[in-house]
Each structure stands twice: as C-alpha cells, then as structure tokens.
Amino acid sequence: MSAPPTVAVSIVIPVYNEELNLPTLFARLYPVLDALGRRYEIIFTNDGSADRSFALLQAQHAARPDVTRVIDFNSNYGQHMAIMAAFERVRGDVIVTLDADLQNPPEEIPKLLEKIDAGFDYVGGYRLNRQDSFFRKYASRLINLVREKTTSIEMTDQGCMLRAYGRPIIDAIVRSGAINTFIPALAYSFSGNPTEVGVKHEERHAGVSNYSFYSLIRLNFDLITGFSIAPLQYFTMFAMACCVGSGLFVLVLAIRRAFFDYTAAEGLFTLFGVLFFLMSVALLGIGLIGEYVGRTYQVVRARQRYHVRETLETKPA
Ligand code: UDP
Ligand code: MG
C-alpha cells in the first residue's frame, strides 16, 4: 500500500532511453511546478534504459533532492509497469502522469490541476493537433473505435498519457494488482467523476518512439482483453453464424448433387473454400482463447511484476 499523502502533487514520469530529452524536460518541468505554490514531488522510473538516462536522473536527484525521487528498474518492463511502480510509492494527493519525451508539454499541468480542484477525480488529456506519424494516428483511431465497442470505457484519446488522478483512484489501481495493464483505462474504471481537457501535443523532442509495431499490438491486446470478454463473445457469435451459413451451404450443394445430377467435381472447390475459411476461424479462436489463458496464467502465477534495483529519495520530513 502506498504512503499516506504528504505532498499536494505527485508527478510520475517513465523514462526509457531519454538522455536527449531529460535536460530539456528538467528545464521546463521544474519551473512550472515551482510556480504552482504547492508542495510537490516528481517520481522518475528508469525503465532499464541502456543510455545515460539513469546518470542524468541521479544528477537531477542530487540537484533537487527535496522534490526528486528516482526508481531504478533492473531491466525494461514497459511504460505502464514503470508508472505502476511509481504509483505504489506516491505521496501526493493528486497524481499526474506524463511522458519524458516532451510530447506532453509540462506547461499544461496546471490546466489538469484546475479540473481536479473543480471536483473531478480523473482528468484525461486529449491531444489537440496530434504530432505523430500518419500511421500511428490512423491506427490509434481504429483502436479507439474497437475499444469503444468492446469495453464501456469512454476516452477521446487513450494514447495521451498527460492525465491527472485523485489519490483514491491510484490507491484502487495499486490494490487491484493488475498485470498487463493499461493505466488510463484502469483508472477510468475506478473513477466516479471523470472529465477531459484538450492539451497541446508536440513532436518528440529528440529520439524516436520506443514503441515498435509489435509492442503497440501487445499494448492494445492488453487494453481490449484486459477490460472485457466481449471479443470472446463476438467470436462465439461469429462462429455460430459461420456454422449456420456453411451448414446451409453444404445442404444446398448436397441437394443439387442429388436431384440435379451435376458432375462430381463441381462444388468441390467451393467446399474447399468454405473449409479453409472455417479452419482460419477456428485458428483465430484458438489464438484468442490463448490470449486470455496466457493472461490468466500470469495472474495466477503471481510473480513479482518488476524488480527495483535502487531508489533515490529523501525521506519526507
Ligand atoms: N517508456 C518506458 N518504457 C518503455 C517504453 C517507453 O518507460 O518500454 C516511456 C518513454 O520514455 C516515454 C513514454 O514511456 O516517457 C512514452 O514512450 P514513447 O514516447 O516511446 O511512446 P509514444 O509517444 O511513441 O507513444
Ligand atoms: Mg512519445
């Protein structure tokens, strides 16, 4: 369980190979927070970076030990695990998540806090004029649509990590012990009074996205299978429709063969077509079930989700 709140705002930032971005991030983030006039802390999780990121974080901790905390993972566990580790340790009343690559401008944080002050317990950002590749934009629009249809989560922009949460939501997330999780959606499911605000979006300050096509697919599988069993149900319904359809088709072929005396070869290839189609449906189904079984296995196994090598922090006064 995380510590009781001792500061007003906790900023949570996952860091993976961001040595080129961190200096600018520090230079822009701290002044914004200093100007808030609230007690704050910033928790960076170094998600197994292979570059100088951790050294930069160490130096930053030495420069601002009062407000800087660093969690160092022994290897790369992914953005959402990095955020989880920070959630388990936050001391703030309000928690804000943000990317390290400056795609979420730190200057937008006060906007989110205003909404929290107005009584909302979850403030999701959505990116105004999103600065990503054409492919990422359209792929994520598609995924948004699938998510809307399969889960009851309403989010304009699930990919935007600039979000603010009330402490009870973070405590609920930590208690849930979720694995393979997609934090914005999980938080939404615990929220009683959510809202959204438009936030600016900038191009990645430096470097390239850490998400490959493959890890994006994995993340979206997490999102959809983690929050609903609708895919399984759709699949079953689709399989039933296929069974009825192909059953009728076979019947028609048999009747034609029996009563209208067509040559034996006619229809054979159609049958092959039907057969291959049904086979691929079956394979898809096995894969889908496998996804759920795999996830169940991970939860049942209850293995430690990540390993923290070191934490740099000053004990609260
Ligand atoms: N990140 C992380 N672990 C990873 C991948 C990414 O902690 O395995 C961090 C990364 O440093 C950044 C944020 O998650 O702060 C978003 O990553 P990225 O910019 O690569 O994703 P994109 O903006 O392309 O979705
Ligand atoms: Mg980014």
Side-chain angles (χ1 to χ4, degrees):
M1 199 65 250
S2 38
T6 52
V7 296
V9 185
S10 293
I11 310 288
V12 167
I13 308 181
V15 176
Y16 180 55
N17 294 343
E18 302 282 6
E19 63 178 357
L20 297 175
N21 296 318
L22 287 176
T24 321
L25 176 70
F26 298 152
R28 284 174 57 182
L29 179 64
Y30 284 77
V32 171
L33 297 173
D34 288 331
L36 282 179
R38 308 186 194 192
R39 288 195 63 189
Y40 71 89
E41 62 173 6
I42 308 174
I43 310 184
F44 296 97
T45 307
N46 174 37
D47 187 16
S49 299
D51 65 0
R52 288 174 41 251
S53 295
F54 184 60
L56 292 174
L57 292 172
Q58 274 176 315
Q60 185 60 23
H61 175 255
R64 293 294 303 270
D66 52 330
V67 291
T68 310
R69 298 168 68 190
V70 180
I71 301 168
D72 185 31
F73 279 180
N74 68 318
S75 92
N76 180 241
Y77 294 95
Q79 179 186 359
H80 292 261
M81 274 303 117
I83 295 175
M84 272 305 227
F87 279 180
E88 285 171 8
R89 293 165 174 78
V90 288
R91 300 177 186 143
D93 228 0
V94 178
I95 290 84
V96 176
T97 54
L98 137 120
D99 285 349
D101 59 0
L102 292 160
Q103 284 196 288
N104 310 134
E107 293 78 15
E108 299 284 71
I109 293 174
K111 227 192 223 176
L112 302 184
L113 295 178
E114 252 169 54
K115 288 280 178 191
I116 293 276
D117 291 343
F120 295 99
D121 64 352
Y122 175 99
V123 186
Y126 56 88
R127 295 168 280 194
L128 304 167
N129 59 44
R130 180 164 174 195
Q131 306 292 320
D132 266 322
S133 70
F134 179 83
F135 165 74
R136 280 290 291 267
K137 267 193 248 183
Y138 286 89
S140 88
R141 232 177 255 176
L142 180 75
I143 294 293
N144 255 316
L145 197 76
V146 175
R147 189 212 63 242
E148 260 167 41
K149 295 275 176 270
T150 55
T151 69
S152 57
I153 294 162
E154 286 168 31
M155 259 190 280
T156 311
D157 184 2
Q158 63 190 21
C160 181
M161 284 313 291
L162 185 53
R163 290 165 190 273
Y165 315 88
R167 181 56 183 263
I169 294 187
I170 301 305
D171 287 342
I173 291 179
V174 171
R175 264 197 309 274
S176 78
I179 287 186
N180 285 326
T181 201
F182 191 81
I183 283 162
L186 189 61
Y188 185 91
S189 66
F190 293 131
S191 154
N193 192 12
T195 187
E196 296 193 315
V197 285
V199 291
K200 286 203 208 85
H201 191 236
E202 292 175 9
E203 252 176 85
R204 207 169 210 291
H205 180 71
V208 290
S209 169
N210 292 307
Y211 279 100
S212 63
F213 182 60
Y214 173 74
S215 49
L216 278 178
I217 290 181
R218 292 233 52 82
L219 186 67
N220 286 301
F221 251 121
D222 283 347
L223 178 61
I224 290 161
T225 60
F227 290 90
S228 102
I229 54 165
L232 279 179
Q233 288 160 348
Y234 287 147
F235 187 84
T236 315
M237 279 188 279
F238 180 63
M240 281 188 323
C242 280
C243 280
V244 173
S246 53
L248 286 178
F249 186 63
V250 169
L251 201 66
V252 168
L253 286 181
I255 291 171
R256 274 176 43 159
R257 178 84 182 82
F259 298 106
F260 299 94
D261 190 30
Y262 278 99
T263 51
E266 209 248 359
L268 189 62
F269 292 104
T270 331
L271 263 179
F272 263 123
V274 173
L275 203 65
F276 285 150
F277 175 65
L278 287 181
M279 259 158 58
S280 57
V281 171
L283 284 176
L284 189 70
I286 294 172
L288 188 64
I289 294 169
E291 282 290 332
Y292 283 98
V293 173
R295 272 145 229 270
T296 314
Y297 173 60
Q298 279 181 314
V299 177
V300 168
R301 194 173 52 177
R303 179 177 297 167
Q304 180 191 20
R305 286 169 297 164
Y306 54 79
H307 178 64
V308 174
R309 190 158 48 185
E310 184 180 358
T311 48
L312 307 178
E313 58 187 14
T314 332
K315 292 275 167 287

